[in-house]
């Protein structure tokens, strides 16, 4: 039985290595069956769920962790994957932690197939993009207030791209120069012709 024992030991080593890898990644990694019940959750996922151990999470669905409202789109997406066999790549999702903190996730889900090619579940990995989303929202908000301030003060501004030789005008600049929204990006020479020598 030496060959069998060696094969078992090799399989155990590979399993241990794989488990060590997924448990030490900061991303949320999970495996679900075709009823969307969790079979595997890495340590990050267990923390996100608010459970004390992976054993607590096995056999439960996202609705058990996050409630039906938050879980509905996750479960609907799972069913689409099971029916179509097509992976979902970089889908933006939101979730709430047990403490009520809103998190933004970039999720990829891939169908899991058996040796016969039948779909038996899915493997998912979600990357936390909350920090990037907050920066994006703050930037959008800053841009909005800058545009409103320019409008109130009748002050326009633009950004000059030296490489392209183009100028991107704000809404107030368009109004000041009498240009349409379609002319937001213009050549530097075009703007020069609009200004008194």
């Amino acid at each position: 039985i030496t060959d069998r024992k060696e094969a078992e030991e090799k399989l155990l080593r590979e399993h241990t290595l794989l488990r060590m890898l997924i448990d030490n990644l900061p991303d949320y990694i999970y495996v679900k069956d075709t009823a969307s019940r969790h079979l595997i959750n890495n340590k990050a996922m267990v923390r996100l769920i608010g459970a004390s151990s992976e054993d607590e999470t096995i056999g439960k669905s996202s609705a058990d962790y996050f409630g039906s409202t938050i879980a509905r789109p996750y479960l609907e997406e799972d069913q689409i994957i099971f029916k179509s066999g097509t992976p979902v790549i970089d889908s933006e999702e939101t979730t709430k932690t047990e403490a009520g903190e809103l998190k933004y996730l970039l999720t990829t889900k891939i169908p899991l197939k058996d040796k016969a090619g039948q779909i038996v579940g899915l493997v998912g990995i979600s990357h936390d993009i909350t920090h990037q989303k907050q920066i994006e929202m703050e930037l959008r908000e800053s841009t909005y207030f800058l545009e409103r301030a320019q409008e109130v003060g009748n002050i326009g501004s633009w950004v000059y791209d030296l490489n392209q030789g183009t100028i991107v005008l704000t809404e107030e600049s368009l109004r000041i120069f009498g240009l349409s929204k379609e002319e937001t990006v213009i050549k530097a020479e075009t703007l020069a012709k609009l200004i008194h020598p």
Side-chain angles (χ1 to χ4, degrees):
I1 63 167
T2 305
D3 289 345
R4 193 177 76 195
K5 286 295 283 180
E6 285 176 357
E8 286 172 1
E9 285 172 9
K10 183 182 178 196
L11 191 62
L12 180 61
R13 280 194 307 273
E14 288 174 357
H15 177 269
T16 304
L17 179 65
L18 181 61
R19 191 65 215 214
M20 187 179 75
L21 179 66
I22 70 164
D23 272 339
N24 288 290
L25 287 171
D27 291 335
Y28 310 112
I29 301 170
Y30 50 89
V31 176
K32 295 179 182 180
D33 65 15
T34 52
S36 292
R37 292 178 300 230
H38 285 249
L39 304 174
I40 295 173
N41 288 307
N42 74 339
K43 288 180 180 178
M45 189 67 184
V46 170
R47 281 192 301 274
L48 178 69
I49 290 165
S52 57
S53 72
E54 183 184 23
D55 290 341
E56 272 181 49
T57 69
I58 304 306
K60 295 180 180 173
S61 78
S62 300
D64 296 315
Y65 311 135
F66 304 114
S68 59
T69 305
I70 291 174
R72 185 176 298 115
Y74 308 157
L75 300 174
E76 287 171 355
E77 190 173 70
D78 291 354
Q79 290 308 310
I80 291 168
I81 293 166
F82 298 141
K83 286 177 184 149
S84 70
T86 307
V88 170
I89 310 294
D90 289 341
S91 170
E92 268 196 36
E93 299 177 333
T94 57
T95 193
K96 276 196 177 174
T97 64
E98 192 181 41
E101 178 189 1
L102 181 66
K103 284 194 175 286
Y104 293 88
L105 308 173
L106 198 60
T107 298
T108 294
K109 294 178 185 176
I110 300 165
L112 184 62
K113 297 179 181 179
D114 63 14
K115 287 181 183 177
Q118 296 297 309
I119 296 172
V120 293
L122 64 79
V123 177
I125 182 165
S126 298
H127 181 68
D128 189 342
I129 57 167
T130 305
H131 183 66
Q132 295 94 309
K133 288 298 282 184
Q134 286 169 339
I135 291 170
E136 186 184 306
M137 287 186 285
E138 286 170 12
L139 183 61
R140 235 186 257 134
E141 193 173 286
S142 295
T143 302
Y144 172 79
F145 284 117
L146 176 63
E147 287 172 357
R148 296 301 72 79
Q150 288 182 16
E151 190 180 317
V152 169
N154 294 322
I155 301 168
S157 67
W158 61 81
V159 176
Y160 183 31
D161 184 333
L162 291 169
N163 295 326
Q164 300 291 321
T166 57
I167 293 176
V168 180
L169 298 133
T170 61
E171 280 187 38
E172 191 58 19
S173 291
L174 292 173
R175 189 196 63 72
I176 290 168
F177 290 112
L179 299 170
S180 68
K181 288 197 183 220
E182 291 75 38
E183 297 173 288
T184 300
V185 180
I186 60 173
K187 289 283 184 192
E189 308 84 65
T190 305
L191 183 63
K193 289 176 187 170
L194 297 171
I195 301 170
H196 190 280

